[in-house]
């Protein structure tokens, strides 16, 4: 079906308590877009959200952070999520823990979405095939993985005209 608003498909605040670490993965086309979505989720759900993108964040540092604390909700790019899922040491994401993958289908300024922008769509396809939905994927072996499209437009705030 068509993409749903982010806050309709994201877990509710109450349901977050019952989710295992690394249960929800939100995928966006860029680090800038990830930051917008993280702000919305933190403000609404009042929870910790892991940042899974490469801008200013090294892979090794992210693995260490995830080893110390893996929140239920993670937001990142498909490329970095695939790198973290491919890592085999402690701190790596576990595809088997994922229960919900939300894919950003909001058009950018050039009317591209994560599904139509060449680099983002290739990274998404690779992530889904290699780690989540392909024949060799380890994700949700019990069949409880749901992949959904969402849209989200950050609110525009009036300029106070300083």
């Amino acid at each position: 079906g068509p993409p749903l608003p982010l806050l309709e498909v994201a877990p509710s605040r109450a349901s977050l308590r019952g989710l295992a670490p690394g249960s929800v993965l939100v995928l966006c086309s860029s680090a800038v877009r990830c930051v917008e979505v993280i702000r919305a989720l933190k403000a609404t759900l009042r929870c910790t959200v892991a940042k899974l993108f490469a801008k200013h964040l090294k892979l090794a540092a992210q693995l260490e952070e995830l080893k110390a604390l893996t929140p239920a909700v993670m937001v990142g790019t498909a490329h970095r999520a695939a790198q973290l899922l491919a890592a085999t040491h402690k701190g790596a994401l576990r595809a088997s823990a994922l229960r919900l993958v939300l894919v950003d289908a909001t058009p950018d300024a050039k009317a591209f979405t994560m599904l139509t922008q060449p680099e983002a769509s290739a990274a998404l396809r690779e992530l889904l095939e290699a780690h989540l939905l392909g024949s060799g994927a380890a994700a949700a072996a019990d069949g409880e993985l749901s992949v959904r499209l969402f849209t989200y437009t950050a609110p525009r705030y009036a300029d106070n005209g300083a």
Side-chain angles (χ1 to χ4, degrees):
L4 295 170
L6 173 63
L7 299 176
E8 280 186 33
V9 294
S12 69
R13 219 173 130 211
S15 71
L16 281 176
R17 286 183 220 109
L19 290 176
S23 295
V24 180
L25 177 60
V26 181
L27 297 171
C28 302
S29 59
S30 69
V32 171
R33 180 66 178 157
C34 288
V35 171
E36 286 179 6
V37 170
I38 288 169
R39 282 187 187 134
L41 290 173
K42 281 183 166 183
T44 305
L45 302 177
R46 292 187 214 119
C47 67
T48 302
V49 178
K51 299 173 188 175
L52 309 182
F53 49 85
K55 189 156 192 110
H56 307 298
L57 302 170
K58 302 287 185 219
L59 181 63
Q62 285 184 325
L63 287 167
E64 286 301 313
E65 285 179 20
L66 291 170
K67 185 179 2 175
L69 170 70
T70 303
V73 180
M74 305 165 296
V75 178
T77 60
H79 180 70
R80 179 50 62 97
Q83 288 178 317
L84 291 165
L85 286 166
T88 56
H89 58 285
K90 190 167 177 65
L93 294 183
R94 291 187 351 260
S96 59
L98 286 170
R99 293 294 172 259
L100 177 61
V101 176
L102 301 176
V103 178
D104 188 4
T106 308
D108 64 13
K110 295 181 180 179
F112 283 112
T113 70
M114 197 165 168
L115 303 174
T116 60
Q117 199 270 343
E119 295 84 15
S121 64
L124 177 62
R125 183 174 39 259
E126 180 183 321
L127 170 70
L128 292 173
E129 290 174 357
H131 300 286
L132 303 179
L133 302 175
S135 59
D142 54 12
E144 291 186 26
L145 179 64
S146 176
V147 178
R148 305 191 70 187
L149 299 176
F150 76 89
T151 60
Y152 172 73
T153 303
R156 297 191 187 274
Y157 299 99
D159 183 20
N160 292 340

